[in-house]
Amino acid sequence: MTEQNQASTPSTRLLSGNEAIALAARDAGVSLAAGYPGTPSTEILENIAKEGSLYCEWAPNEKVALEVCIGASFTGARTLCTTKHVGLNVAADPLFTAAYTGVRGGLVIICADDPGMHSSQNEQDNRHYARAAKILMLEPADANEAYHFTRAAFELSERFDIPVLVRTTTRINHGKGVVQLQPAENISHRTFDTQRDPQKLVMIPAFARMRHEILEASLERMATYASDCDLNTTTRNGSKVGVITSGVSYAYVREVVPADWSILKLGFTHPLPETLISDFCCSVDEVVVVEELDPYLEDTVRRLGFACKGKELFGRTGELNPDIIAKGLGLDHRASDVPAKQLPPRPPVLCPGCPHRGPFTVLKKLDVFVSGDIGCYTLGVNKPLDSIHACVCMGASIGMAHGMDRVLSPEQRRKVVAVIGDSTFLHTGINALVNMVYNRSTSTVFILDNSITAMTGQQGNPGFGPTLMGEPTANVNMEELCRAMGVKHVYKADAFDTVSLETLARREVNRDELSVIIVERECILAFKDIVKPALEVNQSTCIGCRACLKVGCPALIWHEQNRKVSIDPTLCTGCNICVPECPVDAIITPKKS
């Protein structure tokens, strides 16, 4: 918490949505929280860990995290699972069946969607998950509601015996607002045990059929409750136009619509309060639905028999904002002072000293097709490295490379390499490597081990570091793991020694057997003590060939005036990756004065 927050009164604080959710978990009496880091949800567990009043952990992936929470819930404990939107795809298997088993202690899943794809590979609308899995869903509209809705979610989870999805979006997670805290719930009377109830907790077909009937009946009770609960609010200002909205869109709507328009803000969005929606639609002459991404609310309004406007005004892609909504509604609104298109572009690049730069420099020389994965190394797609040629989702690189291996000619398959990071390998890459071994793949796999989950903010993972609670623990030995899975050819390489790495890589891509190269060096942002003295370019030796610029390091600067390269000493970390690229040995370590 910031000093400003600490200075606030105990019941009122300025918090981000993620900070508010963390405090809601504490005040709701949560016993266990688990998740996998992913923007924009990462800071929830980090804030819970800082607060220190309840147990929390990073799991190797979202499926494991949710299963941990389900198990704890079965003992009667309240549990919180956090994930970004694509992480819920990984956790979908236990999620759908948890709707059948129900809960004992409240089970809440915070699912953070990313409209606009600020840091994601797609912008799927996870409200559909609540409908498909038949679970209850709440949508807060700001940080204050993130706190109160999360607390309400635990009560509703236990009331209706159902996991509750709290769906947030990037602006809710990262935006700050005044949060009115409530006294913490007294849970001292709760006891946890392992009551045996196979008809509820063992989903063999005979029991699952009974539980499905119970779930459908529960959904009807939830829908009735939704139409009367105070999580939905109606502001009646006139009967000419009525706006139906939810989540962060509500804040934009309030900013732009005329004072005589009525607004129905939905916070309980599955099951939808159809009676409430119908009553609202009947009370106005024209209905407009404002929501980001898919027409989730709009489809329901139309199914209930009401004409409405929505996606034809605002589109189905990206984030909304007051300007877009005002334009869609044909309303006067003062546009943002600085249109985004006028801002200078800042293309993302690998950091100076990033260990991923070495293997990509080598792979480009090998002219191979790189099946990539999710992480900092995805930035290898950018020029001048230009060394990622496919990337779909967490852990997919190895499976995709194997698929290519099975259909290409022997000569072509030597031109395919899978690249995956250490955390992503432990997330969902392991199974794909097992598949490679079992199905006799001949591909080459690069595991880029930088000893951290870097892209989401340097979190620990089972391959390195303490637990989220700060406890020392055992870490996975990547080399031994790969050998134990049956990979015969496993090698370690230094990411900064690109000469040796190139020799090794050329040999292994031509091998007619599966091989794994574990390329090691720590993330420069997380391990700043490994920074070495900055290099410099001997200006009298430099011939201006620009060969060193091919490594794509921001510390290397091209001067058009004298057509030579220099090195920014404030950025250079002395990693030496650029040194072998210079044909005249102009990049040197300066002598100490």
Side-chain angles (χ1 to χ4, degrees):
M1 301 298 172
T2 64
E3 292 182 1
Q4 182 178 1
N5 290 335
Q6 291 172 347
S8 303
T9 62
S11 61
T12 304
R13 290 188 180 180
L14 180 64
L15 300 172
S16 69
N18 283 343
E19 291 170 330
I21 291 168
L23 290 183
R26 178 200 66 184
D27 294 344
V30 167
S31 297
L32 179 150
Y36 183 82
T39 306
S41 66
T42 305
E43 299 84 0
I44 298 172
L45 287 193
E46 290 181 332
N47 278 287
I48 288 175
K50 286 180 190 174
E51 213 281 328
S53 61
L54 65 97
Y55 177 79
C56 58
E57 65 179 34
W58 292 126
N61 63 41
E62 295 84 354
K63 179 176 184 289
V64 173
L66 180 54
E67 290 161 348
V68 168
C69 291
I70 291 171
S73 169
F74 285 172
T75 71
R78 285 185 168 181
T79 63
L80 181 80
C81 180
T82 67
T83 175
K84 69 178 296 177
H85 62 312
V86 290
L88 199 58
N89 301 334
V90 181
D93 196 0
L95 175 70
F96 276 62
T97 303
Y100 280 42
T101 63
V103 303
R104 285 191 65 213
L107 171 55
V108 174
I109 303 149
I110 306 293
C111 179
D113 285 13
D114 188 19
M117 293 179 278
H118 297 284
S119 57
S120 307
Q121 64 269 40
N122 71 37
E123 54 181 349
Q124 68 188 49
D125 189 334
N126 274 11
R127 292 178 298 178
H128 298 298
Y129 262 113
R131 180 177 285 159
K134 301 177 183 289
I135 60 175
L136 195 156
M137 176 169 64
L138 304 182
E139 281 189 80
D142 55 28
N144 189 50
E145 286 194 351
Y147 174 82
H148 291 282
F149 280 28
T150 300
R151 291 198 60 173
F154 287 101
E155 298 170 7
L156 293 170
S157 176
E158 292 170 354
R159 176 193 291 240
F160 293 106
D161 189 16
I162 192 81
V164 175
L165 189 72
V166 176
R167 188 251 190 180
T168 59
T169 55
T170 304
R171 303 299 174 185
I172 301 296
N173 293 95
H174 291 167
K176 287 206 169 188
V178 175
V179 178
Q180 302 292 331
L181 302 180
Q182 298 295 320
E185 188 165 337
N186 181 2
I187 59 164
S188 58
H189 62 284
R190 285 183 176 242
T191 58
F192 309 144
D193 55 42
T194 52
Q195 290 183 16
R196 299 182 185 186
D197 187 356
Q199 292 192 349
K200 173 176 168 60
L201 303 182
V202 182
M203 286 304 96
I204 60 174
F207 297 158
R209 292 187 193 104
M210 291 189 293
R211 291 300 303 180
H212 192 184
E213 296 287 342
I214 293 171
L215 173 59
E216 294 295 337
S218 181
L219 284 167
E220 292 183 9
R221 293 197 302 275
M222 285 184 247
T224 301
Y225 176 88
S227 285
D228 294 326
C229 76
D230 58 6
L231 298 171
N232 304 311
T233 57
T234 305
T235 305
R236 297 193 183 279
N237 297 319
S239 60
K240 183 179 178 182
V241 181
V243 178
I244 300 175
T245 187
S246 67
V248 72
S249 299
Y250 170 67
Y252 307 148
V253 167
R254 286 195 60 188
E255 189 171 332
V256 302
V257 302
D260 61 346
W261 288 19
S262 293
I263 302 172
L264 172 58
K265 182 178 83 69
L266 297 173
F268 195 125
T269 48
H270 192 263
L272 280 166
E274 296 186 356
T275 301
L276 179 66
I277 293 172
S278 296
D279 291 346
F280 181 79
C281 291
C282 288
S283 70
V284 295
D285 298 332
E286 181 181 354
V287 177
V288 179
V289 180
V290 181
E291 58 187 325
E292 292 179 325
L293 302 179
D294 294 343
Y296 175 83
L297 303 177
E298 184 180 334
D299 286 349
T300 296
V301 172
R302 294 186 188 281
R303 182 175 56 76
L304 292 173
F306 298 97
C308 66
K309 295 178 180 176
K311 288 301 153 189
E312 71 270 37
L313 303 179
F314 313 113
R316 292 171 176 254
T317 61
E319 290 184 302
L320 295 179
N321 61 44
D323 299 343
I324 294 173
I325 294 173
K327 183 179 180 181
L329 295 172
L331 300 172
D332 290 331
H333 177 71
R334 187 173 66 85
S336 302
D337 293 330
V338 183
K341 289 183 179 177
Q342 295 182 13
L343 295 174
R346 293 193 304 166
V349 296
L350 294 173
C351 301
C354 174
H356 299 331
R357 182 168 286 106
F360 284 129
T361 299
V362 168
L363 289 170
K364 186 167 186 177
K365 292 178 180 176
L366 268 57
D367 191 27
V368 292
F369 184 97
V370 177
S371 177
D373 224 297
I374 304 293
C376 292
Y377 43 91
T378 315
L379 296 175
V381 69
N382 295 324
K383 293 183 182 306
L385 293 172
D386 193 21
S387 296
I388 290 278
H389 308 112
C391 177
V392 174
C393 67
M394 292 282 286
S397 59
I398 299 176
M400 292 191 301
H402 175 64
M404 295 175 187
D405 179 272
R406 293 294 84 184
V407 298
L408 293 174
S409 68
E411 186 60 32
Q412 289 174 314
R413 70 181 58 151
R414 294 191 182 98
K415 289 290 185 180
V416 176
V417 169
V419 171
I420 189 169
D422 53 339
S423 182
T424 310
F425 177 67
L426 296 171
H427 179 277
T428 38
I430 292 176
N431 284 355
L433 187 59
V434 170
N435 182 58
M436 272 188 163
V437 174
Y438 175 61
N439 287 304
R440 303 170 59 84
S441 183
T442 62
S443 296
T444 303
V445 177
F446 275 48
I447 299 176
L448 308 187
D449 187 355
N450 64 354
S451 301
I452 207 78
T453 306
M455 196 168 203
T456 50
Q458 294 102 45
Q459 291 78 27
N461 63 56
F464 186 84
T467 69
L468 182 56
M469 301 291 288
E471 303 159 324
T473 185
N475 293 128
V476 174
N477 183 311
M478 293 284 186
E479 183 179 10
E480 292 181 2
L481 174 64
C482 293
R483 293 190 188 282
M485 287 193 287
V487 183
K488 296 178 181 176
H489 308 285
V490 183
Y491 307 94
K492 285 188 174 182
D494 184 342
F496 293 160
D497 183 0
T498 53
V499 175
S500 299
L501 178 58
E502 181 178 346
T503 301
L504 174 63
R506 286 190 184 279
R507 186 188 74 198
E508 292 308 308
V509 297
N510 285 294
R511 184 190 293 279
D512 289 328
E513 289 183 280
L514 172 63
S515 59
V516 172
I517 299 175
I518 303 169
V519 187
E520 297 180 316
R521 277 286 181 164
E522 299 87 348
C523 170
I524 197 70
L525 294 183
F527 299 87
K528 292 184 172 60
D529 57 339
I530 65 173
V531 174
K532 296 179 179 178
L535 304 175
E536 66 179 26
V537 176
N538 186 329
Q539 294 296 302
S540 62
T541 307
C542 178
I543 58 175
C545 66
R546 292 191 274 193
C548 57
L549 300 180
K550 294 178 182 176
V551 304
C553 179
L556 294 163
I557 304 170
W558 170 252
H559 300 277
E560 189 64 37
Q561 188 173 13
N562 65 356
R563 301 193 65 76
K564 291 181 184 291
V565 173
S566 70
I567 292 178
D568 184 342
T570 64
L571 294 179
C572 180
T573 65
C575 72
N576 286 334
I577 288 177
C578 60
V579 173
E581 306 306 311
C582 180
V584 293
D585 297 329
I587 302 175
I588 59 175
T589 301
K591 295 180 180 178
K592 293 182 179 179
S593 59

